[in-house]
């Protein structure tokens, strides 16, 4: 079983975004039975090729290697034509493991969203308030909450990155529960800083991958004084890892919202009781409270509430009437999504890059 190289010719080259060149090589095999041995001896994609350059060496990475069989020959011999595409080995980042590299396939786009409005900012033609950049309750001139929606912009951010197999196995039990969570603290992802509660995980997908690429192997260790030095060499390495495809929704206004504190029930002594409304027997003024309050005050025209009204801050009764006859309004303020720390999730912090692996 044997084969020999008949010729090796530089077919083409380019110096665009990266330095690339293509070799065309022709091999002759004694028999087709030698093909499998020949095939497995060929350089695979992402493996290293070292060539002389002056008094030193230059390094290339195999980008592709295609094999074409030529017409049959006498005596059972076989000729194979190889087109080997090489790209220049650019920097030391190419020697890092996939889980040590920055994110790739980075994309960012914007979208419009709507939410129920609880506050608003008066304009110059408002019939009640003067124009103001401070928020006010979104209520009508009678003090009753209005229904409306506000449009706001969010950014959808997606990228891919790698994590080691042993790291993924440690987090797999809760990895699938992360979508819908928001960042509880400031975080840097792909070179961008996000304040707390502005970033929501939309989806996370994991795919097991294997890739062969140049890596570093330790060939020796020696110590001078208290400093330990490692001798390393570049070798073809098979990496096993998980590729994670992540999608986030970024809300620059924060995922916190204001919600009008309204309802038809109150909390008294650990119990939830329905609100009633009636007229004060002396002044005729509208009054709210529980059924017990209604009976105790001797109210007139009492009835259980069927429509929500503003509640006080501790939820024990309806809000008090203001001097202008409107009800005071209070708000709940927070997020509908669970805040968690993103720091332990190892999302890539460095600026994204173009990947050639996986």
């Amino acid at each position: 079983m044997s084969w020999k190289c008949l010729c090796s010719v530089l077919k083409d080259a380019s110096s665009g975004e990266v330095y690339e060149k293509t070799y065309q090589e022709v091999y002759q095999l004694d028999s087709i039975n030698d093909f499998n041995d020949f095939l497995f001896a060929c350089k695979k994609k992402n493996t290293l090729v070292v060539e002389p350059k002056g008094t030193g060496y230059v390094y290339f990475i195999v980008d592709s290697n295609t094999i074409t069989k030529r017409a049959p020959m006498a005596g059972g011999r076989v000729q194979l034509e190889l087109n080997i595409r090489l790209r220049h080995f650019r920097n030391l980042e190419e020697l890092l493991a996939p889980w040590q590299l920055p994110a790739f396939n980075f994309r960012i786009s914007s979208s419009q969203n709507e939410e129920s409005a609880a506050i608003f900012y008066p304009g110059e033609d408002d019939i009640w308030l003067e124009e103001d950049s401070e928020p006010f309750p979104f209520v009508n001139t009678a003090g009753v909450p209005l229904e409306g929606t506000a449009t706001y912009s969010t950014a959808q951010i997606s990228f891919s990155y790698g994590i080691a197999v042993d790291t993924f196995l440690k987090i797999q039990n809760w990895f699938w529960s992360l979508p819908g969570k928001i960042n509880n603290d400031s975080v840097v992802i792909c070179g961008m800083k996000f304040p707390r509660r502005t970033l929501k995980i939309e989806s996370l997908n994991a795919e097991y991958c294997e890739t062969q690429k140049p890596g570093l192997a330790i060939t020796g260790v020696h110590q001078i004084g208290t400093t330990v030095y490692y001798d390393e060499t570049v070798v073809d390495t098979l990496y096993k890892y998980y590729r994670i495809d992540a999608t986030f929704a970024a809300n620059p206004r924060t995922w916190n919202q204001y919600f009008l504190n309204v309802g038809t029930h109150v909390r008294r002594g650990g119990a939830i009781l329905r609100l009633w409304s009636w007229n004060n027997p002396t002044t005729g003024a509208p009054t709210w409270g529980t059924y017990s309050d209604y009976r105790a005050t001797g109210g007139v025209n009492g009835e259980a509430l069927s429509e929500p009204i503003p509640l006080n801050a501790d939820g024990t009764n309806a809000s008090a009437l203001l001097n202008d006859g409107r009800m005071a309004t209070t708000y709940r303020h927070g997020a509908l999504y669970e805040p968690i720390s993103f720091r332990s999730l190892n999302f890539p912090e460095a600026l994204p890059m173009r990947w050639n692996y996986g």
Side-chain angles (χ1 to χ4, degrees):
M1 295 187 298
S2 64
W3 56 81
K4 62 180 178 179
C5 181
L6 300 181
C7 65
S8 179
V9 179
L10 178 64
K11 185 178 180 181
D12 58 53
S14 68
S15 58
E17 295 183 7
V18 295
Y19 292 105
E20 296 177 316
K21 62 181 181 178
T22 302
Y23 278 107
Q24 187 176 79
E25 297 182 345
V26 178
Y27 284 82
Q28 181 171 296
L29 282 59
D30 289 343
S31 167
I32 192 63
N33 295 327
D34 297 332
F35 178 75
N36 285 341
D37 290 328
F38 174 81
L39 176 65
F40 292 116
C42 292
K43 282 286 188 180
K44 293 174 60 178
K45 179 179 179 179
N46 294 331
T47 53
L48 190 68
V49 174
V50 182
E51 296 183 351
K53 178 179 179 292
T55 58
Y57 298 94
V58 62
Y59 298 89
F60 290 91
I61 305 295
V62 177
D63 221 18
S64 64
N65 188 356
T66 58
I67 304 173
T68 304
K69 182 176 177 293
R70 287 186 167 182
M73 300 179 63
R77 290 174 298 174
V78 177
Q79 285 191 356
L80 300 175
E81 185 178 292
L82 278 65
N83 285 279
I84 306 170
R85 188 72 177 174
L86 304 177
R87 59 181 174 81
H88 181 235
F89 178 81
R90 295 186 299 272
N91 52 59
L92 291 178
E93 277 191 344
E94 300 210 38
L95 298 179
L96 298 176
W99 52 88
Q100 296 174 317
L101 291 169
F104 60 104
N105 287 343
F106 179 86
R107 291 178 177 272
I108 184 169
S109 59
S110 61
S111 61
Q112 296 293 316
N113 304 266
E114 289 187 347
E115 68 179 12
S116 297
I119 59 174
F120 90 124
Y121 301 84
E124 59 182 352
D125 294 327
D126 187 59
I127 59 176
W128 177 16
L129 300 171
E130 295 182 356
E131 182 177 5
D132 204 317
S133 58
E134 294 297 321
F136 285 83
F138 190 49
V139 295
N140 62 23
T141 53
V144 179
L146 288 170
E147 293 185 3
T149 57
T151 301
Y152 63 97
S153 297
T154 59
Q156 186 179 73
I157 301 168
S158 61
F159 56 84
S160 303
Y161 66 105
I163 62 174
V165 170
D166 55 350
T167 301
F168 180 78
L169 294 179
K170 293 177 183 178
I171 67 173
Q172 62 173 338
N173 290 336
W174 49 269
F175 177 85
W176 315 112
S177 66
L178 292 175
K181 304 294 193 294
I182 59 177
N183 60 316
N184 194 40
D185 42 28
S186 177
V187 63
V188 176
I189 295 180
C190 292
M192 300 181 296
K193 185 175 182 179
F194 298 93
R196 59 191 303 269
R197 296 197 176 197
T198 58
L199 194 63
K200 176 164 66 77
I201 301 175
E202 293 281 271
S203 66
L204 291 172
N205 300 304
E207 177 185 356
Y208 176 76
C209 299
E210 293 183 3
T211 188
Q212 186 165 324
K213 61 182 287 292
L216 290 173
I218 297 175
T219 58
V221 181
H222 57 280
Q223 183 171 340
I224 301 178
T226 59
T227 304
V228 178
Y229 296 90
Y230 294 91
D231 297 323
E232 296 178 317
T233 187
V234 177
V235 296
D236 291 330
T237 307
L238 178 63
Y239 288 102
K240 300 178 181 181
Y241 65 101
Y242 279 89
R243 165 181 165 157
I244 307 299
D245 298 316
T247 303
F248 297 82
N251 186 346
R253 299 190 320 164
T254 161
W255 288 106
N256 287 338
Q257 299 181 52
Y258 286 93
F259 303 91
L260 281 168
N261 183 30
V262 297
T264 58
H265 293 73
V266 294
R267 184 180 64 251
R268 297 275 184 91
I272 303 297
L273 305 174
R274 179 175 286 277
L275 273 173
W276 278 60
S277 65
W278 65 89
N279 296 110
N280 185 290
T282 304
T283 64
T287 307
W288 296 270
T290 65
Y291 179 72
S292 297
D293 297 335
Y294 165 57
R295 295 297 301 272
T297 58
V300 180
N301 301 325
E303 61 178 357
L305 288 184
S306 58
E307 298 292 334
I309 63 172
L311 304 179
N312 61 17
D314 56 14
T316 57
N317 207 345
S319 289
L321 285 174
L322 302 175
N323 292 334
D324 58 7
R326 300 180 179 90
M327 296 185 73
T329 50
T330 59
Y331 297 90
R332 301 301 308 279
H333 183 236
L336 299 179
Y337 310 104
E338 179 186 357
I340 65 171
S341 174
F342 282 11
R343 297 186 183 277
S344 62
L345 302 180
N346 295 322
F347 291 130
E349 294 187 1
L351 290 171
M353 63 173 286
R354 289 184 61 185
W355 250 39
N356 298 292
Y357 312 112

